[in-house]
Amino acid sequence: MSVHVGRDLDDVLEHIASVPDVTVLAGGTDLMVEINFGRRRPENIVAIDRLGELAGIERNGHVRMGAGVTYTRMLGDVGSPALAEAARTIGSPQIRNAGTIGGNLGTASPAGDTLPVLAALGATVVLRAKSGERRVRFADYMTGPKKSVRRTDELIVAAEWDDAGTAQTYMFVSTRNAMAISIAGLAMVVDRARRRVGIGLGSCGPTILQATEAERFASGLFDEAGWERPHRASEAAAKEVGRLVALAAKPIDDVRGTAAYRRHALAVMGARALARVAAIA
């Protein structure tokens, strides 16, 4: 096995452009699972955990989070309360100290805990190669389970989104609160300034899904109640959002839960999420 420790971003981009079949290593929290189970045997690794260019967070009405930002840093004020809530559910403190937003995006698992939040935020994934940089809407980024539009010569350098305020939440169902893959997850973002509702769903389809009909219905509720102020959503309205959320899912039966259970869990979380965020100013 060959390991190249990246000195800076240009060095890493040069390396992945010139060496075939390079595996990018940041925190390694997903990669080590694959190696330990014998699913991966990488021959060429480039380590990017020392790249300061990937560790920044910029906020100015718009948020840019470097791919090297860890889950532990996400627990602070990083421009998305829902992202902080998602980071809090991930693994142990040791895992949160190592795992990164870029790693979650690179693995592109439909069970990635931060990814439903990025979907709900309407985030953009920033990719860079030697030939230049491109931005991909998160909605277009994942193409299947653990598959994405990222090319082999590209590195994930950041995720960006408009600062959507505080009316956000993330919920998930799992067998326990830490170190377990989600059975189902949901993020809801109400951007009061831009009059937009975003709902991202995890662990209930081949990719992270967006509940577009539920988003439209919830937006209508905020049109009626007024986007500027918090309100108490009716039980009927919350249940309808939950029903539409469940309809947007494409779950399967597996060892962690049945499709029926996932739909039921999403319906409950959708209703609770609306009740929670509607009351947040």
Side-chain angles (χ1 to χ4, degrees), residues 31-53:
L31 179 61
M32 288 308 300
V33 173
E34 297 287 300
I35 291 174
N36 289 339
F37 279 96
R39 298 170 187 154
R40 296 276 301 277
R41 287 292 183 264
E43 294 184 2
N44 299 297
I45 289 179
V46 57
I48 63 171
D49 58 313
R50 302 181 189 183
L51 270 58
E53 299 106 313

mmCIF file of all heavy atoms in Angstrom, residues 31-53:
data_model
loop_
_atom_site.group_PDB
_atom_site.id
_atom_site.type_symbol
_atom_site.label_atom_id
_atom_site.label_comp_id
_atom_site.label_asym_id
_atom_site.label_seq_id
_atom_site.Cartn_x
_atom_site.Cartn_y
_atom_site.Cartn_z
ATOM 1 N N LEU A 31 -13.985 4.581 5.756
ATOM 2 C CA LEU A 31 -13.024 3.725 5.055
ATOM 3 C C LEU A 31 -12.563 2.558 5.921
ATOM 4 O O LEU A 31 -12.456 1.424 5.444
ATOM 5 C CB LEU A 31 -11.817 4.550 4.616
ATOM 6 C CG LEU A 31 -10.699 3.779 3.892
ATOM 7 C CD1 LEU A 31 -11.221 3.148 2.611
ATOM 8 C CD2 LEU A 31 -9.512 4.701 3.612
ATOM 9 N N MET A 32 -12.312 2.791 7.193
ATOM 10 C CA MET A 32 -11.823 1.717 8.055
ATOM 11 C C MET A 32 -12.859 0.621 8.238
ATOM 12 O O MET A 32 -12.502 -0.558 8.374
ATOM 13 C CB MET A 32 -11.393 2.281 9.419
ATOM 14 C CG MET A 32 -10.111 3.092 9.376
ATOM 15 S SD MET A 32 -8.743 2.211 8.574
ATOM 16 C CE MET A 32 -8.607 0.766 9.620
ATOM 17 N N VAL A 33 -14.130 0.978 8.219
ATOM 18 C CA VAL A 33 -15.182 -0.048 8.287
ATOM 19 C C VAL A 33 -15.093 -0.948 7.064
ATOM 20 O O VAL A 33 -15.166 -2.192 7.164
ATOM 21 C CB VAL A 33 -16.576 0.607 8.382
ATOM 22 C CG1 VAL A 33 -17.667 -0.459 8.270
ATOM 23 C CG2 VAL A 33 -16.714 1.362 9.695
ATOM 24 N N GLU A 34 -14.939 -0.329 5.888
ATOM 25 C CA GLU A 34 -14.831 -1.102 4.652
ATOM 26 C C GLU A 34 -13.599 -2.002 4.672
ATOM 27 O O GLU A 34 -13.662 -3.170 4.251
ATOM 28 C CB GLU A 34 -14.747 -0.147 3.456
ATOM 29 C CG GLU A 34 -15.969 0.730 3.260
ATOM 30 C CD GLU A 34 -17.140 -0.067 2.720
ATOM 31 O OE1 GLU A 34 -17.012 -0.632 1.626
ATOM 32 O OE2 GLU A 34 -18.179 -0.118 3.397
ATOM 33 N N ILE A 35 -12.486 -1.488 5.154
ATOM 34 C CA ILE A 35 -11.251 -2.283 5.217
ATOM 35 C C ILE A 35 -11.391 -3.419 6.226
ATOM 36 O O ILE A 35 -11.007 -4.566 5.953
ATOM 37 C CB ILE A 35 -10.053 -1.381 5.564
ATOM 38 C CG1 ILE A 35 -9.750 -0.435 4.394
ATOM 39 C CG2 ILE A 35 -8.819 -2.225 5.907
ATOM 40 C CD1 ILE A 35 -8.675 0.585 4.684
ATOM 41 N N ASN A 36 -11.942 -3.129 7.390
ATOM 42 C CA ASN A 36 -12.070 -4.153 8.441
ATOM 43 C C ASN A 36 -12.972 -5.303 8.020
ATOM 44 O O ASN A 36 -12.768 -6.444 8.442
ATOM 45 C CB ASN A 36 -12.590 -3.517 9.734
ATOM 46 C CG ASN A 36 -11.560 -2.641 10.404
ATOM 47 O OD1 ASN A 36 -10.360 -2.772 10.161
ATOM 48 N ND2 ASN A 36 -12.005 -1.731 11.254
ATOM 49 N N PHE A 37 -13.974 -5.026 7.196
ATOM 50 C CA PHE A 37 -14.876 -6.077 6.720
ATOM 51 C C PHE A 37 -14.391 -6.713 5.413
ATOM 52 O O PHE A 37 -15.086 -7.554 4.845
ATOM 53 C CB PHE A 37 -16.286 -5.519 6.535
ATOM 54 C CG PHE A 37 -17.076 -5.420 7.807
ATOM 55 C CD1 PHE A 37 -17.134 -4.229 8.513
ATOM 56 C CD2 PHE A 37 -17.748 -6.520 8.316
ATOM 57 C CE1 PHE A 37 -17.853 -4.132 9.693
ATOM 58 C CE2 PHE A 37 -18.469 -6.436 9.489
ATOM 59 C CZ PHE A 37 -18.527 -5.242 10.195
ATOM 60 N N GLY A 38 -13.218 -6.308 4.952
ATOM 61 C CA GLY A 38 -12.659 -6.895 3.750
ATOM 62 C C GLY A 38 -13.316 -6.451 2.462
ATOM 63 O O GLY A 38 -13.148 -7.101 1.420
ATOM 64 N N ARG A 39 -14.046 -5.337 2.500
ATOM 65 C CA ARG A 39 -14.731 -4.861 1.293
ATOM 66 C C ARG A 39 -13.827 -3.990 0.421
ATOM 67 O O ARG A 39 -14.099 -3.812 -0.759
ATOM 68 C CB ARG A 39 -15.974 -4.066 1.688
ATOM 69 C CG ARG A 39 -17.005 -4.879 2.459
ATOM 70 C CD ARG A 39 -18.079 -3.979 3.021
ATOM 71 N NE ARG A 39 -18.991 -4.701 3.901
ATOM 72 C CZ ARG A 39 -19.681 -4.139 4.873
ATOM 73 N NH1 ARG A 39 -19.571 -2.835 5.102
ATOM 74 N NH2 ARG A 39 -20.481 -4.870 5.628
ATOM 75 N N ARG A 40 -12.799 -3.415 1.016
ATOM 76 C CA ARG A 40 -11.881 -2.545 0.282
ATOM 77 C C ARG A 40 -10.449 -2.945 0.594
ATOM 78 O O ARG A 40 -10.122 -3.254 1.745
ATOM 79 C CB ARG A 40 -12.086 -1.072 0.675
ATOM 80 C CG ARG A 40 -13.435 -0.483 0.338
ATOM 81 C CD ARG A 40 -13.487 0.009 -1.101
ATOM 82 N NE ARG A 40 -12.497 1.030 -1.396
ATOM 83 C CZ ARG A 40 -12.669 2.331 -1.128
ATOM 84 N NH1 ARG A 40 -13.780 2.753 -0.543
ATOM 85 N NH2 ARG A 40 -11.736 3.209 -1.456
ATOM 86 N N ARG A 41 -9.616 -2.913 -0.406
ATOM 87 C CA ARG A 41 -8.175 -3.103 -0.231
ATOM 88 C C ARG A 41 -7.457 -2.057 -1.077
ATOM 89 O O ARG A 41 -6.915 -2.360 -2.136
ATOM 90 C CB ARG A 41 -7.771 -4.531 -0.649
ATOM 91 C CG ARG A 41 -8.190 -5.619 0.319
ATOM 92 C CD ARG A 41 -7.425 -5.512 1.637
ATOM 93 N NE ARG A 41 -7.760 -6.588 2.579
ATOM 94 C CZ ARG A 41 -8.654 -6.467 3.540
ATOM 95 N NH1 ARG A 41 -9.319 -5.336 3.677
ATOM 96 N NH2 ARG A 41 -8.897 -7.468 4.352
ATOM 97 N N PRO A 42 -7.478 -0.804 -0.615
ATOM 98 C CA PRO A 42 -6.888 0.266 -1.427
ATOM 99 C C PRO A 42 -5.381 0.090 -1.581
ATOM 100 O O PRO A 42 -4.687 -0.295 -0.647
ATOM 101 C CB PRO A 42 -7.225 1.523 -0.636
ATOM 102 C CG PRO A 42 -7.440 1.064 0.771
ATOM 103 C CD PRO A 42 -8.009 -0.310 0.666
ATOM 104 N N GLU A 43 -4.902 0.381 -2.797
ATOM 105 C CA GLU A 43 -3.474 0.282 -3.066
ATOM 106 C C GLU A 43 -2.779 1.639 -2.955
ATOM 107 O O GLU A 43 -1.596 1.707 -2.616
ATOM 108 C CB GLU A 43 -3.239 -0.300 -4.466
ATOM 109 C CG GLU A 43 -3.706 -1.747 -4.598
ATOM 110 C CD GLU A 43 -3.365 -2.320 -5.958
ATOM 111 O OE1 GLU A 43 -2.737 -1.607 -6.772
ATOM 112 O OE2 GLU A 43 -3.741 -3.482 -6.196
ATOM 113 N N ASN A 44 -3.517 2.701 -3.270
ATOM 114 C CA ASN A 44 -2.948 4.044 -3.219
ATOM 115 C C ASN A 44 -3.857 4.951 -2.398
ATOM 116 O O ASN A 44 -5.034 5.093 -2.707
ATOM 117 C CB ASN A 44 -2.799 4.617 -4.632
ATOM 118 C CG ASN A 44 -1.866 3.790 -5.485
ATOM 119 O OD1 ASN A 44 -0.685 3.667 -5.197
ATOM 120 N ND2 ASN A 44 -2.411 3.186 -6.541
ATOM 121 N N ILE A 45 -3.312 5.534 -1.347
ATOM 122 C CA ILE A 45 -4.079 6.414 -0.457
ATOM 123 C C ILE A 45 -3.425 7.786 -0.428
ATOM 124 O O ILE A 45 -2.198 7.907 -0.384
ATOM 125 C CB ILE A 45 -4.144 5.825 0.970
ATOM 126 C CG1 ILE A 45 -5.052 4.579 0.996
ATOM 127 C CG2 ILE A 45 -4.656 6.869 1.964
ATOM 128 C CD1 ILE A 45 -5.144 3.923 2.343
ATOM 129 N N VAL A 46 -4.254 8.824 -0.473
ATOM 130 C CA VAL A 46 -3.759 10.174 -0.249
ATOM 131 C C VAL A 46 -4.479 10.732 0.974
ATOM 132 O O VAL A 46 -5.711 10.744 1.034
ATOM 133 C CB VAL A 46 -3.954 11.085 -1.483
ATOM 134 C CG1 VAL A 46 -5.410 11.157 -1.927
ATOM 135 C CG2 VAL A 46 -3.405 12.487 -1.211
ATOM 136 N N ALA A 47 -3.720 11.131 1.979
ATOM 137 C CA ALA A 47 -4.274 11.660 3.225
ATOM 138 C C ALA A 47 -4.432 13.171 3.115
ATOM 139 O O ALA A 47 -3.489 13.872 2.746
ATOM 140 C CB ALA A 47 -3.367 11.305 4.400
ATOM 141 N N ILE A 48 -5.646 13.661 3.445
ATOM 142 C CA ILE A 48 -5.921 15.095 3.304
ATOM 143 C C ILE A 48 -6.262 15.753 4.632
ATOM 144 O O ILE A 48 -6.684 16.906 4.662
ATOM 145 C CB ILE A 48 -7.068 15.334 2.296
ATOM 146 C CG1 ILE A 48 -8.377 14.699 2.815
ATOM 147 C CG2 ILE A 48 -6.712 14.776 0.921
ATOM 148 C CD1 ILE A 48 -9.596 15.076 1.997
ATOM 149 N N ASP A 49 -6.075 15.043 5.734
ATOM 150 C CA ASP A 49 -6.505 15.567 7.028
ATOM 151 C C ASP A 49 -5.674 16.754 7.504
ATOM 152 O O ASP A 49 -6.074 17.462 8.427
ATOM 153 C CB ASP A 49 -6.487 14.463 8.091
ATOM 154 C CG ASP A 49 -5.116 13.835 8.258
ATOM 155 O OD1 ASP A 49 -4.489 13.494 7.228
ATOM 156 O OD2 ASP A 49 -4.672 13.677 9.406
ATOM 157 N N ARG A 50 -4.513 17.010 6.885
ATOM 158 C CA ARG A 50 -3.656 18.121 7.313
ATOM 159 C C ARG A 50 -3.821 19.371 6.442
ATOM 160 O O ARG A 50 -3.084 20.344 6.617
ATOM 161 C CB ARG A 50 -2.190 17.679 7.294
ATOM 162 C CG ARG A 50 -1.915 16.466 8.168
ATOM 163 C CD ARG A 50 -0.457 16.071 8.154
ATOM 164 N NE ARG A 50 -0.261 14.787 8.837
ATOM 165 C CZ ARG A 50 0.921 14.215 9.026
ATOM 166 N NH1 ARG A 50 2.023 14.824 8.608
ATOM 167 N NH2 ARG A 50 1.012 13.045 9.636
ATOM 168 N N LEU A 51 -4.774 19.339 5.538
ATOM 169 C CA LEU A 51 -4.949 20.465 4.621
ATOM 170 C C LEU A 51 -5.765 21.577 5.266
ATOM 171 O O LEU A 51 -6.980 21.464 5.447
ATOM 172 C CB LEU A 51 -5.637 20.007 3.333
ATOM 173 C CG LEU A 51 -4.724 19.543 2.185
ATOM 174 C CD1 LEU A 51 -3.830 18.392 2.628
ATOM 175 C CD2 LEU A 51 -5.545 19.161 0.965
ATOM 176 N N GLY A 52 -5.086 22.653 5.631
ATOM 177 C CA GLY A 52 -5.773 23.780 6.249
ATOM 178 C C GLY A 52 -6.779 24.427 5.327
ATOM 179 O O GLY A 52 -7.765 25.021 5.783
ATOM 180 N N GLU A 53 -6.586 24.310 3.997
ATOM 181 C CA GLU A 53 -7.523 24.913 3.039
ATOM 182 C C GLU A 53 -8.924 24.319 3.133
ATOM 183 O O GLU A 53 -9.896 24.936 2.690
ATOM 184 C CB GLU A 53 -7.018 24.729 1.600
ATOM 185 C CG GLU A 53 -5.683 25.379 1.304
ATOM 186 C CD GLU A 53 -4.584 24.346 1.195
ATOM 187 O OE1 GLU A 53 -4.512 23.477 2.083
ATOM 188 O OE2 GLU A 53 -3.807 24.432 0.227
#
